[in-house]
Amino acid sequence: MDALCSQLKGESLMLDFNVRGENIEVTESIRDYVEKRIGKIEKYFDQGANPKAHVNLKVYQDRTAKVEVTIPLPYLVLRAEETSPDLYASVDLVTDKLERQIRKYKTKINRKSRETGYKGVEIPQEDAREDEEEASEFDIVRTKQVSLKPMGAEEAILQMDMLGHNFFIYEDADTGSVDIVYRRHDGRYGLIESANE
């Protein structure tokens, strides 16, 4: 309600928006719609917190529209993306997804806020039992140990494919670091290299 009042008074939004377009010009009306819809999640942020919302709008040749939103917080990154035949519908869908994320992780977010002394996010606790159920979503139900064999990325991909897995952890034969290869949504492969600092 405070966010709505501040908008009605002409004050600036709590969320600081950075809106970019790929294959589309970000017009004033598009920017206004993005800020108004995604600005709905401002109710979860305390006054004085000014998180930055990075919004990327992309229109493909078949005219489908993808909206990606990233909101970095001190201890968590909210990120969502949606694609639909309509840009405005994609904005609506990504806003709903962000709200669901915030609600799903509300227990974790509130706990972290208290632990770190960060006053940026406070999500109302509607029901203690619901919070306990959500916390139990993170219960580890199975533990598996793996022995890491030294190998290269190509051999790791072959091992992953033979096992029918979506990822494979291995020790890089050249660097000795623990790395991960994984299968991307587009069918190609990705590599995560660990960095020793």
Side-chain angles (χ1 to χ4, degrees):
M1 193 66 172
D2 290 339
L4 179 61
C5 291
S6 67
Q7 287 176 42
L8 292 173
K9 291 176 189 170
E11 296 174 12
S12 61
L13 299 170
M14 272 193 290
L15 276 172
D16 183 13
F17 285 90
N18 175 19
V19 184
R20 291 182 6 190
E22 289 182 49
N23 302 328
I24 183 173
E25 180 189 347
V26 181
T27 63
E28 198 62 38
S29 62
I30 291 173
R31 181 179 297 280
D32 288 346
Y33 192 81
V34 165
E35 290 182 1
K36 178 183 172 193
R37 293 294 294 147
I38 297 173
K40 280 178 57 181
I41 67 169
E42 286 186 337
K43 63 187 173 189
Y44 298 109
F45 296 94
D46 291 341
Q47 289 289 346
N50 290 74
K52 189 164 192 132
H54 301 276
V55 182
N56 190 49
L57 313 172
K58 184 172 184 177
V59 176
Y60 295 96
Q61 287 182 347
D62 64 359
R63 308 307 296 159
T64 57
K66 180 178 186 179
V67 177
E68 299 172 317
V69 181
T70 306
I71 304 173
L73 299 173
Y75 50 84
L76 178 78
V77 176
L78 295 173
R79 189 176 188 293
E81 62 180 59
E82 283 291 345
T83 305
S84 79
D86 178 68
L87 177 68
Y88 294 96
S90 293
V91 172
D92 293 343
L93 291 168
V94 86
T95 302
D96 293 342
K97 187 178 265 190
L98 285 167
E99 273 201 284
R100 284 194 306 273
Q101 270 184 24
I102 292 171
R103 289 188 175 281
K104 180 176 180 182
Y105 297 114
K106 69 182 179 189
T107 305
K108 181 179 178 184
I109 292 171
N110 283 341
R111 186 175 62 242
K112 280 287 191 185
S113 293
R114 286 190 297 273
E115 285 174 5
T116 61
Y118 179 68
K119 302 295 183 201
V121 182
E122 189 63 29
I123 297 159
Q125 302 290 328
E126 289 108 9
D127 182 6
R129 273 187 304 128
E130 182 183 325
D131 291 343
E132 289 170 16
E133 289 169 13
E134 286 178 8
S136 70
E137 288 180 21
F138 299 105
D139 287 346
I140 297 171
V141 295
R142 182 177 176 199
T143 302
K144 189 173 183 178
Q145 290 185 337
V146 293
S147 56
L148 303 179
K149 283 178 47 184
M151 62 181 72
E154 289 180 5
E155 185 181 345
I157 289 170
L158 289 172
Q159 291 286 331
M160 176 181 69
D161 287 342
M162 285 193 314
L163 293 169
H165 291 173
N166 290 325
F167 69 94
F168 189 82
I169 304 169
Y170 67 100
E171 180 184 332
D172 186 277
D174 295 329
T175 64
S177 65
V178 176
D179 297 344
I180 301 170
V181 290
Y182 63 95
R183 185 176 293 106
R184 295 166 41 95
H185 293 296
D186 61 9
R188 296 185 295 176
Y189 299 101
L191 171 64
I192 300 173
E193 298 176 320
S194 59
N196 297 326
E197 294 185 14

